[in-house]
Amino acid sequence: MKKLLLGCIADDFTGATDLANNLVRAGMRVVQTIGVPESPLTDEVDAVVVALKTRTLPAADAVSQSLAALSWLQAQGAQQIYFKYCSTFDSTDEGNIGPVADALLDALGGGLALVCPAFPANGRSVYQGYLFVGAALLNESGMENHPLTPMRDANLVRMMSRQTEGTVGLIPLVTVAQGAAAIRRTMLQLKEQGRRYAVIDAVMNDDLLAIGEAADGHALVTGGSGVAMGLPDNFRRAGLLGVGNS
């Protein structure tokens, strides 16, 4: 069996299904599992989405389950890892997005990881690092009243900075609008500055596709299900995903 192209770890079941659907629509053959499988992959597929229920678990438990999923995906030969969380960035100042991302990035050897929950088709956009739900800032959208993860700050750079041990930078929309090459240059600059994460703006699907292209070769990408739409074409351009899968 050929090696897995994309291994995905989702922090809830519904979001995992959304992610799998986006990958299928982009031409990938996808299997979604509930929890970490106990046996090797036998299907001939391009991507696997491991659906966990870690969003509101204690951070240590979320990290442990996510690392177990990573270990299984690596055993299947996954060439890139995608950590999927909610498009409203559901989390507290303690996590679990930051702690899980830190653990995955450490296990994968470090580097810079993108942070982008945007999904414009569902009314989720990021501008100047601020997350919007429709026309409202996240903290004015009703999410500030969430019983488990009250979202009281719409600034993703600040939110992520409170959750992670690493430093967080911003790639603004003016850079994203210039395309994948400009995004890559800015990511390199942020990495050279010692940043571990880059929050990136996106207000329409074309932005997501450019971001996905710029993430080619990144060990870890993090986001909602939207950014994943741009990843399959990277494997297609490399000849790893058939042109008929489109």
Side-chain angles (χ1 to χ4, degrees), residues 152-192:
R152 300 190 175 119
D153 189 353
N155 187 299
L156 295 178
V157 175
R158 286 196 300 255
M159 290 172 62
M160 190 67 181
S161 295
R162 291 195 291 266
Q163 294 184 30
T164 175
E165 298 175 0
T167 56
V168 185
L170 172 67
I171 302 177
L173 188 62
V174 65
T175 300
V176 175
Q178 296 173 45
I183 296 170
R184 280 192 289 265
R185 287 195 297 271
T186 306
M187 287 191 295
L188 180 60
Q189 292 168 1
L190 290 173
K191 183 178 179 180
E192 290 173 344

Side-chain angles (χ1 to χ4, degrees), residues 6 8 19 22-23 26 28 82 208 212 221 224-232:
L6 184 64
C8 307
L19 174 57
N22 280 341
L23 294 174
M28 282 187 141
Y82 193 90
L208 298 180
V221 181
S225 60
V227 171
M229 294 189 299
L231 300 180

Side-chain angles (χ1 to χ4, degrees), residues 188-207:
L188 180 60
Q189 292 168 1
L190 290 173
K191 183 178 179 180
E192 290 173 344
Q193 293 169 12
R195 308 289 185 180
R196 199 173 201 206
Y197 298 100
V199 171
I200 186 164
D201 286 353
V203 299
M204 55 186 179
N205 279 354
D206 284 350
D207 299 332

Side-chain angles (χ1 to χ4, degrees), residues 22-245:
N22 280 341
L23 294 174
V24 168
R25 292 177 65 184
M28 282 187 141
R29 298 169 298 173
V30 184
V31 164
Q32 178 179 332
T33 72
I34 304 301
V36 181
E38 296 181 355
S39 57
L41 181 66
T42 58
D43 299 303
E44 192 75 20
V45 297
D46 305 303
V48 172
V49 179
V50 178
L52 304 176
K53 289 287 286 183
T54 53
R55 184 169 298 168
T56 57
L57 286 181
D61 293 339
V63 166
S64 177
Q65 290 188 31
S66 299
L67 287 176
L70 172 64
S71 180
W72 185 86
L73 290 166
Q74 289 178 313
Q76 315 315 306
Q79 299 184 28
Q80 186 173 47
I81 300 298
Y82 193 90
F83 171 38
K84 193 274 178 198
Y85 38 77
C86 187
S87 61
T88 47
F89 210 73
D90 295 17
S91 54
T92 67
D93 284 352
E94 291 73 37
N96 289 334
I97 293 173
V100 170
D102 280 347
L104 294 175
L105 200 54
D106 286 342
L108 290 165
L112 179 82
L114 293 174
V115 176
C116 188
F119 196 0
N122 285 354
R124 313 292 194 262
S125 57
V126 180
Y127 178 67
Q128 292 298 316
Y130 286 83
L131 179 55
F132 287 80
V133 179
L137 285 164
L138 175 66
N139 59 307
E140 299 173 358
S141 67
M143 284 297 298
E144 69 272 24
N145 300 316
H146 193 288
L148 297 177
T149 54
M151 308 307 293
R152 300 190 175 119
D153 189 353
N155 187 299
L156 295 178
V157 175
R158 286 196 300 255
M159 290 172 62
M160 190 67 181
S161 295
R162 291 195 291 266
Q163 294 184 30
T164 175
E165 298 175 0
T167 56
V168 185
L170 172 67
I171 302 177
L173 188 62
V174 65
T175 300
V176 175
Q178 296 173 45
I183 296 170
R184 280 192 289 265
R185 287 195 297 271
T186 306
M187 287 191 295
L188 180 60
Q189 292 168 1
L190 290 173
K191 183 178 179 180
E192 290 173 344
Q193 293 169 12
R195 308 289 185 180
R196 199 173 201 206
Y197 298 100
V199 171
I200 186 164
D201 286 353
V203 299
M204 55 186 179
N205 279 354
D206 284 350
D207 299 332
L208 298 180
L209 296 177
I211 293 167
E213 181 179 349
D216 187 16
H218 277 220
L220 176 69
V221 181
T222 88
S225 60
V227 171
M229 294 189 299
L231 300 180
D233 273 344
N234 295 333
F235 298 111
R236 192 170 286 114
R237 281 187 289 268
L240 300 173
L241 185 64
V243 294
N245 296 353

